[in-house]
Amino acid sequence: MRKRNESVTVEHERAAAASAAPGPLDKGCSLRRSLRLPASAAAEGMKRPLGRRYGLWFRLRKLLLWLLGVYIAIPFLVKLCPAIQAKLVFLNFVRVPYFIDLKRPQDQGLNHTCNYYLQPEEDVTIGVCSLLFSSSMALARGGDHRVELYKVLSSLGYHVVTFDYRGWGDSIGSPSERGMTYDALHVFDWIKARSGDNPVYIWGHSLGTGVATNLVRRLCERETPPDALILESPFTNIREEARSHPFSVIYRYFPGFDWFFLDPITTSGIKFANDENVKYISCSLLILHAEDDPVVPFHLGKKLYNIAATSRSFRDYKVQFVPFHTELGYRHKYIYRSPELPRILREFLGKSEHEHHH
């Protein structure tokens, strides 16, 4: 009886040992378990790129929210600080090229040039360049890209006087519409006192057209008009120009655009109302404008011409508009490249001189 129990016990232990020992089935199961481990690792591998993509999207979303916050904050900042908008109108802090000696205009190819400094007001000094070529004079606004235009005018025999408003170039002072107009008036009187009976023409470009019409309106009101006014790439008024300027594209459809961006310009005392000024100007007027002008849209120059052409103040004077087609590529500041420009000026100013002497 004991032997049977021992036998049973032994058999039971063997069976237990056999069940504990790895068999073919267990090996198969072990293989299947080992095959499932790489599948889990692959799932984790798939999660990593998903995690990276999520992290990238999170950072991108954070950047977009930050940009949106800045986009919304800028209109309020401009409204609260109108001086910012004034800086954007004048852009006198942008100086290209920067490293030039304005006391040496000959370095820019302007030979036979004299450099002066005038003081229209206390604490204000403006730099003036006089290109000595003939007895006729053209008063022009300064700027580095104007050099080639000055060469064109001098080749026609004109004595060109150009200057930098207060706050530009090496002129001392802070820009404002009133101050810039006074600078131009001071330079005009300085020229007129030295020109004798020779004709004096005024040339304004871009923002300078606003100063030019301000100046000529004042000259006409005091009955000392210039012999002619030439406006290159002019606008109607600063509000319409600001609305059409490339800088305004991203905010043009922003709710309250006029209130946020245009009203601060007016609050700063900046109008440059060419469309109003031409109604009080009595001298010959020539407007030059390129159809592909990206800064001052062509339609603003054309609109200004239409206002001037129907104004009673010009009934005894010539008003001419000369467009330059898009394919010429003159854009905002390259009209001087036109081979037709000397002929246009000779014909227009020749008639203006004839009117002056009669």
Side-chain angles (χ1 to χ4, degrees):
M1 190 67 180
R2 184 177 299 169
K3 288 181 180 179
R4 180 181 293 180
N5 290 340
E6 289 177 354
S7 175
V8 171
T9 302
V10 170
E11 291 297 329
H12 178 72
E13 290 175 355
R14 288 177 181 173
S19 63
L25 184 59
D26 292 330
K27 286 181 180 178
C29 290
S30 297
L31 283 174
R32 281 193 287 273
R33 281 195 297 271
S34 66
L35 288 173
R36 280 196 294 270
L37 287 174
S40 176
E44 290 179 4
M46 289 176 64
K47 289 179 182 178
R48 288 194 191 100
L50 288 174
R52 282 196 296 269
R53 284 197 292 269
Y54 178 78
L56 180 62
W57 165 245
F58 177 79
R59 288 192 294 271
L60 180 60
R61 186 176 62 179
K62 187 176 179 180
L63 176 62
L64 291 174
L65 289 174
W66 182 83
L67 291 175
L68 180 61
V70 172
Y71 177 80
I72 294 174
I74 286 176
F76 291 94
L77 186 63
V78 170
K79 185 65 179 179
L80 293 173
C81 304
I84 295 176
Q85 189 69 315
K87 286 285 187 182
L88 294 176
V89 170
F90 296 130
L91 288 177
N92 60 304
F93 55 88
V94 178
R95 300 183 182 184
V96 180
Y98 191 84
F99 298 104
I100 62 172
D101 186 357
L102 296 175
K103 295 181 178 65
R104 295 178 53 83
Q106 61 270 23
D107 292 347
Q108 305 304 311
L110 296 176
N111 299 320
H112 310 288
T113 302
C114 297
N115 191 60
Y116 304 94
Y117 290 94
L118 303 180
Q119 191 169 14
E121 294 180 320
E122 188 178 357
D123 300 327
V124 175
T125 303
I126 55 176
V128 180
C129 282
S130 176
L131 288 71
L132 306 172
F133 289 96
S134 81
S135 57
S136 294
M137 289 190 170
L139 172 63
R141 177 181 181 272
D144 62 283
H145 66 275
R146 303 278 87 195
V147 170
E148 295 301 324
L149 173 62
Y150 305 152
K151 290 180 180 178
V152 171
L153 292 172
S154 64
S155 70
L156 295 173
Y158 293 106
H159 175 176
V160 181
V161 178
T162 181
F163 67 100
D164 284 315
Y165 308 122
R166 60 186 71 187
W168 273 268
D170 59 351
S171 297
I172 298 172
S174 299
S176 67
E177 182 173 359
R178 185 208 66 82
M180 293 158 65
T181 302
Y182 190 79
D183 293 345
L185 180 62
H186 185 81
V187 174
F188 179 87
D189 288 339
W190 180 81
I191 292 172
K192 197 66 178 175
R194 291 159 177 78
S195 63
D197 292 330
N198 296 304
V200 177
Y201 311 119
I202 295 176
W203 187 306
H205 170 254
S206 192
L207 185 64
T209 64
V211 180
T213 62
N214 281 349
L215 168 63
V216 176
R217 177 176 176 175
R218 291 188 62 173
L219 294 176
C220 291
E221 288 174 346
R222 75 178 194 184
E223 298 183 353
T224 58
D227 295 277
L229 171 62
I230 301 172
L231 301 178
E232 179 189 355
S233 308
F235 49 86
T236 48
N237 57 71
I238 198 65
R239 286 180 70 98
E240 290 193 0
E241 161 56 14
R243 186 180 290 110
S244 304
H245 198 278
F247 287 169
S248 71
V249 170
I250 60 174
Y251 284 105
R252 198 167 295 163
Y253 303 103
F254 191 87
F257 173 81
D258 285 17
W259 188 77
F260 278 112
F261 292 98
L262 303 186
D263 290 351
I265 298 177
T266 306
T267 302
S268 299
I270 304 172
K271 296 180 180 179
F272 291 117
N274 290 336
D275 49 356
E276 285 298 314
N277 289 338
V278 295
K279 298 175 184 178
Y280 300 91
I281 289 175
S282 51
C283 68
S284 296
L285 172 64
L286 172 64
I287 296 178
L288 310 171
H289 213 132
E291 292 179 344
D292 59 338
D293 190 330
V295 178
V296 181
F298 178 78
H299 71 85
L300 292 184
K302 185 67 174 177
K303 182 178 179 180
L304 181 64
Y305 165 73
N306 291 334
I307 294 171
T310 57
S311 174
R312 294 179 60 187
S313 65
F314 285 104
R315 63 181 178 272
D316 296 325
Y317 299 94
K318 182 179 181 181
V319 180
Q320 183 179 353
F321 182 83
V322 179
F324 295 88
H325 299 302
T326 300
E327 58 268 19
L328 296 172
Y330 295 152
R331 299 172 66 80
H332 184 59
K333 58 184 182 181
Y334 300 112
I335 288 177
Y336 70 82
R337 294 177 178 174
S338 172
E340 295 297 314
L341 184 59
R343 177 190 60 78
I344 293 168
L345 295 176
R346 275 195 301 265
E347 291 180 359
F348 177 77
L349 296 178
K351 292 181 180 180
S352 296
E353 289 181 18
H354 179 76
E355 292 169 357
H356 171 76
H357 292 298
H358 292 79

